[in-house]
Amino acid sequence: MSVVQDLATPKDVIFPPGDLYSDEPPLETDLHRLQMTLLIQCLEWLWQSRNDFYASGNLTIYYSPRQRKSENFRGPDFFVVLGTERKPRKSWVVWEEDGKYPNLIIEILSNSTGETDKGLKKQIYQDIFRTPDYFWFDPETLEFTGFHLLDGEYQPLEPNSQGWLWSQQLGLYLGVYQEKLRFFTPKAELVATPEEVAQQAEQEKQRSDRLAAKLRELNIDPDTI
């Protein structure tokens, strides 16, 4: 089913410049903004050595068959495109990106968007985008649901014993941790943010320093162990 968003009558259509910035409205609350930023930071840190993907959030995706930015656009809260150049963009324009659509989309639910995310957007991502992995998460109620595209239709994903859902496209689990949606490796390791990595390193250094000091109290040179 094709879904077309008309913003004006034909006589009123204005064709924006090719470098138009994303016009998606801002995220509803700090919870939504922080959640989106967290997902982007974690994936970019995990894949810091890769240059074959694009991850962004609250950015407009233009997908008009007539290649017009005045119609057919959506702004997912978080999305990932694989097999593309990793570089900054003002928006994602499908016809300027070799026809590529997101491989994964996550919508962050709110009272004002939940119905659309579960209905109209889900239909667009299934029938037009053909996005293989689609998830939604509510940062207030912690509702978390995921789907994988199979034979042209979204099928619900079954959680593992920890309540996590597998993303075939990313090769990662997604799950709720400390009331945030986070990525986990296939070995069940939390994908940390750069700040968390730095904190862990500092904690390890402090433990090592305390152990070294204790050994010196016992007249043992820690450098000889």
Side-chain angles (χ1 to χ4, degrees):
M1 179 182 296
S2 175
V3 180
V4 178
Q5 180 172 355
D6 293 322
L7 297 184
T9 59
K11 66 179 181 179
D12 296 325
V13 169
I14 298 174
F15 300 99
D19 63 349
L20 182 71
Y21 282 91
S22 172
D23 56 6
E24 188 72 8
L27 293 170
E28 189 163 292
T29 68
D30 281 343
L31 280 177
H32 294 74
R33 176 181 57 81
L34 292 171
Q35 176 63 78
M36 179 196 73
T37 303
L38 179 63
L39 291 169
I40 295 172
Q41 284 182 335
C42 288
L43 192 66
E44 290 191 337
W45 176 256
L46 179 67
W47 288 356
Q48 57 187 291
S49 62
R50 292 179 55 169
N51 292 304
D52 62 347
F53 76 97
Y54 178 69
S56 189
N58 205 34
L59 193 81
T60 302
I61 297 175
Y62 294 97
Y63 60 97
S64 167
R66 296 186 293 179
Q67 300 188 3
R68 294 179 177 177
K69 289 185 177 180
S70 57
E71 60 185 22
N72 297 79
F73 54 86
R74 284 289 160 182
D77 293 327
F78 174 80
F79 68 92
V80 180
V81 183
L82 302 176
T84 190
E85 185 179 358
R86 185 179 182 180
K87 64 179 183 179
R89 292 169 170 86
K90 299 173 183 178
S91 59
W92 184 269
V93 185
V94 169
W95 59 88
E96 295 177 358
E97 301 284 355
D98 299 323
K100 290 183 179 293
Y101 286 87
N103 294 74
L104 173 141
I105 290 175
I106 300 175
E107 292 289 1
I108 304 171
L109 303 182
S110 68
N111 290 335
S112 63
T113 66
E115 184 176 345
T116 300
D117 293 336
K118 296 179 180 181
L120 177 62
K121 280 193 173 182
K122 180 171 177 278
Q123 179 184 331
I124 291 173
Y125 300 156
Q126 172 186 277
D127 298 341
I128 299 177
F129 283 26
R130 315 296 288 172
T131 294
D133 289 347
Y134 176 47
F135 301 84
W136 64 61
F137 173 67
D138 190 322
E140 295 183 357
T141 67
L142 305 186
E143 176 187 348
F144 176 47
T145 303
F147 304 87
H148 181 71
L149 194 66
L150 185 63
D151 296 330
E153 294 187 0
Y154 277 138
Q155 302 298 326
L157 292 169
E158 292 293 330
N160 65 5
S161 59
Q162 295 157 299
W164 303 344
L165 301 178
W166 177 251
S167 168
Q168 182 188 70
Q169 294 295 297
L170 301 187
L172 298 169
Y173 285 104
L174 288 103
V176 180
Y177 174 76
Q178 296 182 345
E179 300 188 346
K180 298 289 190 299
L181 186 62
R182 301 293 299 265
F183 295 115
F184 298 86
T185 70
K187 295 182 179 180
E189 298 169 337
L190 177 69
V191 176
T193 65
E195 292 77 12
E196 289 170 337
V197 171
Q199 289 173 0
Q200 292 168 2
E202 179 61 26
Q203 290 170 358
E204 288 296 328
K205 181 180 182 301
Q206 291 176 359
R207 282 194 289 266
S208 177
D209 289 346
R210 288 195 297 268
L211 176 59
K214 187 64 177 178
L215 290 172
R216 291 190 181 98
E217 290 177 3
L218 300 173
N219 295 319
I220 300 173
D221 186 351
D223 295 332
T224 63
I225 297 178

